[in-house]
Amino acid sequence: MSRSRSEVRQRRAVWLCEGTAWTVSVAFYALQNQLQIIGGDIAWAKSLWLAHALLFWLVLPAVLLTDARIAPPLHRPFQALLVWMGARVALESAMLYHWHNWLPAYGIAHDAVAGVGLGLWCVHWRRQHGAGALAIDRVVAWHVAFTALLFIPEICFAAYMQLHFHTQGDGAIYFVPDDPRHALILALTQAVNVCVAGYLVYCLRSPLYAPNQRPNS
């Protein structure tokens, strides 16, 4: 496959993933609030953040693993993240909707391990390869760093849930509702959403659309 065709395929894949994530966030927002599914109402900012989290921690890693322009060592953090977050989705879904015994502290611990792990990988990669790395490898490494940074607001959001909501039993609350009492955390969530959306529109174009400079590729 030619470079141009490969780049077009990647471009279409990422825009399809982004569009799907945002569409799912709208659908989840409507269904959760209208059907009164366990977990309580969810604010729009929180629904959009949930879509962004799934996009960065599951969908985009899978997309980037299909990009032949990316060096094999740069596949490893995405592979590890897929396994780590995939296991969490499976276990946390059972805890939320079957056992009703989820605590935000579990998520905080899981997020901390993921964020620190990706951060340490970035430091190691920069020391080993940063100086002589190709342009596409550098921007992918920066994407790994950005992905790791997203665990910081998620830990803060989970800590807020731990402090303000009861998340176990039949009356468990899993989401922050659109309520003036939670205006500050919702404003912070929306600010993070704006930053992530800006990254998606502008910065993410680099690892997916960067010229193929790898020798013999």
Side-chain angles (χ1 to χ4, degrees):
M1 180 177 292
S2 68
R3 185 190 75 182
S4 59
R5 289 180 62 189
S6 176
E7 291 173 1
V8 168
R9 185 184 66 178
Q10 290 299 113
R11 180 178 303 185
R12 290 175 177 172
V14 71
W15 284 114
L16 176 62
C17 291
E18 291 176 22
T20 300
W22 291 327
T23 300
V24 168
S25 71
V26 172
F28 182 77
Y29 172 80
L31 291 174
Q32 184 69 29
N33 292 337
Q34 292 180 10
L35 299 182
Q36 296 298 304
I37 303 172
I38 186 172
D41 290 347
I42 185 171
W44 166 243
K46 286 299 180 182
S47 181
L48 185 56
W49 167 249
L50 178 60
H52 282 152
L54 293 175
L55 182 65
F56 272 85
W57 296 333
L58 286 172
V59 180
L60 286 178
V63 171
L64 291 173
L65 284 174
T66 68
D67 193 334
R69 296 171 299 160
I70 298 175
L74 284 162
H75 288 176
R76 293 168 190 159
F78 299 121
Q79 292 167 339
L81 189 60
L82 277 174
V83 172
W84 189 247
M85 298 308 294
R88 174 175 178 172
V89 168
L91 180 59
E92 191 169 288
S93 295
M95 296 177 73
L96 290 170
Y97 297 107
H98 181 65
W99 299 318
H100 303 165
N101 64 348
W102 178 74
L103 286 173
Y106 302 150
I108 292 172
H110 189 276
D111 293 335
V113 172
V116 171
L118 290 178
L120 291 175
W121 180 91
C122 289
V123 172
H124 173 74
W125 184 90
R126 184 173 179 81
R127 289 176 176 174
Q128 296 293 320
H129 309 286
L134 299 177
I136 189 170
D137 293 343
R138 289 198 300 270
V139 292
V140 172
W142 278 111
H143 177 68
V144 175
F146 185 84
T147 301
L149 288 175
L150 290 181
F151 285 101
I152 296 176
E154 174 63 12
I155 288 172
C156 295
F157 299 154
Y160 187 88
M161 292 294 299
Q162 183 79 40
L163 292 172
H164 293 88
F165 296 96
H166 183 67
T167 61
Q168 295 186 322
D170 293 336
I173 301 297
Y174 302 145
F175 309 108
V176 178
D178 189 5
D179 187 305
R181 293 175 296 177
H182 309 297
L184 179 58
I185 195 66
L186 292 178
L188 291 174
T189 305
Q190 198 66 313
V192 174
N193 284 330
V194 170
C195 292
V196 172
Y199 177 88
L200 286 169
V201 171
Y202 181 72
C203 298
L204 191 57
R205 297 172 69 88
S206 296
L208 291 175
Y209 311 150
N212 189 345
Q213 302 178 28
R214 195 168 305 287
N216 302 321
S217 57

